[in-house]
């Protein structure tokens, strides 16, 4: 049976026509990429495309390149790369099942499930929508485990276990696909690369054009990860391999390794340069200005005393105290605290550097000039002198070269440094307080992730972490929303990795790592609500579990009349039987899936007001991003229902094929199609 989709024009622009195949499957990411590339080429060099195929020889000719004759070329290659690439093309027949007790309105999402499958499911709704991704994948230390990609022809049972579909005991069997990758393994690096490749590829699709991905890594795979990212994102989009010094001391017979890395890559360098802050507030600057304000209120205009007090205060700070970095800001005038910055022009050999006279305000004699001339021309110098107080700092007499006043309150931000120090142990304490001692090893500091978030995102942006662990990124976003009053969204993905029975976490009552993620997020929300009862609007988090689609999957490979007949029978209705649970009616699950696959995001389900009764049928109302209304109904169709639907003036109606029952089913449907089309109401029948 064919899907009867009539019109989706009024639906969300991102929601392309939804076919039954779409409903059963997530989009094919490679096919999407290919289509984008072909469209781009067709626009700029149409002569290269014929029959929707690229003429490679012509392209080389255009570029003036010789045909590649040699087998040798520069490329990152590993055992299993082709199979890993195939993973990108696979589509998912899964969806996200919302928890029955999700809050009515949610801002954040925690998705329990294997991240490759989840990334596939997210493609439709979040394609090109995520501003920042932070991930902290397994580092491949030789001791850690990850989904082992050595068996692509897995059985259904293995597949179900891998995706967490089987929720009862026994899924994600550690002995099976979730395996330890030891350094002795002949495929040590290959296995890790095969695991990362499709995930990064799909993650890139989710990024906005000005999106940024940050990836934590250490020496085990840093080199491979850099090359892999060059391939997936394009070498020109690499920004930095930031060095994070995590401790002061380390034990080693050779060199004490006290650092790891955070790779920063943008989706498109051009867009990234024009968007995002790419600057951070100067660390410790606020506290220095606070101290200065205190001295100003004590000593008023006694700027010499204030200078002595500031110098004494800086002196007693520890060397690694971020406030100490500003110790050169110790001069003061009526405008504020400043640093006497160099006024010399750069030594670039230019004879024409400004060399005008600057007269000392007390002796009235011309001041000594720097050998390279002044940095500012005469006009700017005049302007600076005319300010009250002047923006030029003089020595006791004309024999001292004047300097420029650089005020701390005016220069309170700086670029992110490619090297920084932050003790990693404080993160463990932070997590232990929330989920219990010893429950989650080596979490990342929310302060470190927070800086990355502040560096590249704005309120309202969507962030994603698909190796969520204890949920550090989610906490970072929630804390920041409270601190800055913003509404950034977080999506966290964590596999229900089974905990060892002798682990501290198991003893504390957790059964999977996802239980820990969930507990931390819940505790953070409770804590923030208690501390800031007036700012709780953007705190709620909805939970989702990766689950099989509620709709049947049409198999295009039916190659006999009998197989075709079987499928036609199966597809008398598109939805599967009894997909709901006692806690959660099948309709809610179907609704969530339909929204997700209409590109409305899984959180769209919370935009639904309580279902209403229309002529005895249950109807769900969804407010679309363009403020139009979508109505969804899965109950039997009647003429009376049609009248009420029309009265509600929706832009879009979604129904199931099985809503149309009885001998006149086809006639009822055709009439409805015609009537709604006349009223410019879109109708999708699945
Ligand atoms: C290094 S930890 C991340 C720690 C996290 N940054 C924090 O601060 O708590 C990596 C996490 O990714 C999870 N993980 C590994 N492979 C996964 C997969 N294929 N799908 C989903 N989660 C996965 C692991 O269970 C682990 O919790």
């Amino acid at each position: 049976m064919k899907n009867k989709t009539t019109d989706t024009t009024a639906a969300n622009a991102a929601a392309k026509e939804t076919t039954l195949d779409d409903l059963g499957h997530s989009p094919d990411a490679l096919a999407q990429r290919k289509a984008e590339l072909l469209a781009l080429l067709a626009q700029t060099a149409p002569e290269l495309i014929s029959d929707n195929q690229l003429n490679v020889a012509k392209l080389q000719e255009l570029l003036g390149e010789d045909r590649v004759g040699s087998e040798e070329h520069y490329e990152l290659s590993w055992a299993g790369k082709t199979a890993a690439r195939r993973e990108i093309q696979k589509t998912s027949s899964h969806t996200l099942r919302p928890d029955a007790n999700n809050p009515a309105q949610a801002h954040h999402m925690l998705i329990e499930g294997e991240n490759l499958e989840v990334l596939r499911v997210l493609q439709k709704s979040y394609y090109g929508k995520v501003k920042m991704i932070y991930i902290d994948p397994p580092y491949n230390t030789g001791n850690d485990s990850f989904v082992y990609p050595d068996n692509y022809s897995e059985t259904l049972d293995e597949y179900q276990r891998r995706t967490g579909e089987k929720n009862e005991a026994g899924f994600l069997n550690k002995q099976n696909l979730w395996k330890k990758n030891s350094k002795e393994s002949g495929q040590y690096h290959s296995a890790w690369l095969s695991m990362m490749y499709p995930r990064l590829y799909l993650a890139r699709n989710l990024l906005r054009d000005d999106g940024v991905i940050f990836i934590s890594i250490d020496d085990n795979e840093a080199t491979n990860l850099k090359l892999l990212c060059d391939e997936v994102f394009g070498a020109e989009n690499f920004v930095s391999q930031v060095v994070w010094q995590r401790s002061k001391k380390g034990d080693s017979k050779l060199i004490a390794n006290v650092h790891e890395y955070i790779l920063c890559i943008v989706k498109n360098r051009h867009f990234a340069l024009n968007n995002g802050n790419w600057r951070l507030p100067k660390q410790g600057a606020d506290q220095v200005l606070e101290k200065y304000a205190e001295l100003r209120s004590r000593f008023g205009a006694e700027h010499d005393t204030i200078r002595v007090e500031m110098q004494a205060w800086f002196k007693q700070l520890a060397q690694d105290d971020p406030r100490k970095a500003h110790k050169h800001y110790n001069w003061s005038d009526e405008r504020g605290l400043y640093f006497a910055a160099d006024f010399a022009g750069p030594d670039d050999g230019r004879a024409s550097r400004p060399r005008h006279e600057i007269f000392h305000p007390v002796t009235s004699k011309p001041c000594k000039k720097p050998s390279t001339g002044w940095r500012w021309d005469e006009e700017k110098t005049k302007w600076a002198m005319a300010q009250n107080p002047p923006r030029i700092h003089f020595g006791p007499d004309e024999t001292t070269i004047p300097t420029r006043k650089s005020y701390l309150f005016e220069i309170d931000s700086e670029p992110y440094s490619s090297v920084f120090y932050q003790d990693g142990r404080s993160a463990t304490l932070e997590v232990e307080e929330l989920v219990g001692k010893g429950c989650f090893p080596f979490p990342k500091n929310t302060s470190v992730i927070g800086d990355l978030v502040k560096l590249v995102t704005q309120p309202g942006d969507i962030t994603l972490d698909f190796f969520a662990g204890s949920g550090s990124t989610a906490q970072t976003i929630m804390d920041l929303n409270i601190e800055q009053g913003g509404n950034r969204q977080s999506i966290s993905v964590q596999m229900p990795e089974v905990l060892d029975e002798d682990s501290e976490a198991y003893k504390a009552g957790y059964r999977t790592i996802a239980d820990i993620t969930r507990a931390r997020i819940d505790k953070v929300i409770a804590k923030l609500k208690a501390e800031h009862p007036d700012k709780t609007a953007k705190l709620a988090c909805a939970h989702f579990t990766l689950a099989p689609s509620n709709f049947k999957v049409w198999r295009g490979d039916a190659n006999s009349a009998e197989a075709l007949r079987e499928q036609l029978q199966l597809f008398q209705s598109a939805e599967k039987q009894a997909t709901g649970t006692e806690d959660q009616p099948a309709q809610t699950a179907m609704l969530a899936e339909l929204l997700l696959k209409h590109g409305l995001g899984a959180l769209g389900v919370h935009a639904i007001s309580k279902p209403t009764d229309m002529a005895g049928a249950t109807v769900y109302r969804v407010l679309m991003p363009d403020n139009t209304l979508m109505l969804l109904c899965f109950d039997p169709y009647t003429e009376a229902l049609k009248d009420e639907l029309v009265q509600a003036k929706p832009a879009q109606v979604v129904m199931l094929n099985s809503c149309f029952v009885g001998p006149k089913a086809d006639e009822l449907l055709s009439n409805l199609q015609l009537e709604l089309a006349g009223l410019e109401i879109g109708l999708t029948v699945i």
Side-chain angles (χ1 to χ4, degrees), residues 2 76 124 213 227 453 498 513-514 585 590 630 633 642 681:
K2 238 178 95 55
L76 172 66
K124 178 84 184 183
I213 181 166
L227 292 174
V453 174
V498 179
I513 295 196
M590 276 197 292
M630 172 154 86
C633 180
K642 180 196 69 192
I681 298 175

Side-chain angles (χ1 to χ4, degrees), residues 182-201:
S182 77
K183 289 198 173 175
E184 289 69 45
S185 144
Q187 309 249 305
Y188 167 62
H189 290 296
S190 294
W192 189 86
L193 281 162
S194 287
M195 186 275 289
M196 290 299 288
Y197 183 37
R199 287 167 178 80
L200 286 179
Y201 197 102

Side-chain angles (χ1 to χ4, degrees), residues 111-118 134-139 144-148 162 172 178 195 199 216 427 431 440-446 449 465-473 493-498 513-514 517 520:
I111 302 168
E112 206 170 292
E114 200 280 316
N115 57 15
L116 181 58
E117 207 65 26
V118 173
Y134 168 75
I135 51 167
D136 177 17
Y139 284 3
D144 45 14
S145 315
F146 49 84
V147 172
Y148 214 72
R162 175 164 70 81
L172 285 173
W178 180 259
M195 186 275 289
R199 287 167 178 80
S216 277
V431 174
F440 193 87
F442 312 118
K444 290 295 187 283
N445 307 51
T446 50
I449 305 173
D465 180 346
F466 53 92
F467 286 99
S470 67
S472 302
T473 307
V493 184
Q494 173 57 46
M495 188 162 67
E497 181 189 341
V498 179
I513 295 196
T517 329
R520 179 176 182 187

Side-chain angles (χ1 to χ4, degrees), residues 275-431:
N275 292 289
N277 322 320
W278 295 107
R279 289 184 79 83
L280 279 185
K282 273 194 171 176
Q283 258 207 12
D286 280 354
Q287 291 100 307
V288 172
L289 288 171
E290 257 169 47
K291 176 69 192 171
Y292 174 68
E294 177 205 318
L295 293 176
R296 277 299 292 270
S297 66
R298 260 172 68 200
F299 299 108
E302 292 172 38
H303 295 296
D304 289 342
T305 314
I306 293 173
R307 174 167 156 81
V308 173
E309 291 280 332
M310 281 306 297
Q311 283 175 322
W313 183 73
F314 279 127
K315 196 162 178 206
Q316 49 86 44
L317 296 176
Q319 274 315 323
D320 58 359
D321 189 315
R323 293 171 296 180
K324 195 151 185 143
H326 309 297
K327 66 177 192 294
H328 47 294
Y329 286 90
N330 52 37
W331 290 98
S332 166
D333 69 9
E334 285 304 287
R335 189 175 289 111
L337 184 69
Y338 68 89
F339 140 61
D342 197 358
F343 200 176
D347 191 7
D348 55 6
R350 270 171 59 192
S352 59
R353 277 252 158 248
R355 289 177 198 279
H356 49 274
E357 302 295 357
I358 298 181
F359 296 95
H360 193 271
V362 178
T363 66
S364 301
K365 293 188 184 152
C367 291
K368 190 173 167 200
K369 290 174 199 155
S371 59
T372 53
W374 305 112
R375 177 178 289 246
W376 293 343
D377 61 19
E378 192 160 5
E379 202 179 327
K380 184 148 185 203
T381 309
K382 270 192 192 150
W383 169 85
M385 283 302 292
Q387 302 301 301
N388 186 17
R391 284 179 171 263
I392 294 181
H393 173 92
F394 291 91
D397 59 32
E398 72 283 356
T399 57
T400 306
I401 300 176
T403 45
R404 291 173 300 133
K405 293 179 182 175
S406 171
Y407 293 92
L408 185 57
F409 76 90
E410 288 180 341
I411 310 166
D412 57 356
S413 72
E414 58 192 351
Y416 191 82
S417 168
S418 65
V419 181
F420 74 97
Y421 168 75
Q422 170 65 59
D423 191 329
R425 286 167 302 183
S426 56
T428 305
L429 297 177
E430 195 179 2
V431 174

Side-chain angles (χ1 to χ4, degrees), residues 435 439-440 469-470 499 505 510 512-521:
V435 299
C439 287
F440 193 87
S470 67
L499 291 160
Y510 303 110
T512 69
I513 295 196
D515 289 347
I516 301 177
T517 329
R518 185 183 279 235
R520 179 176 182 187
I521 290 177

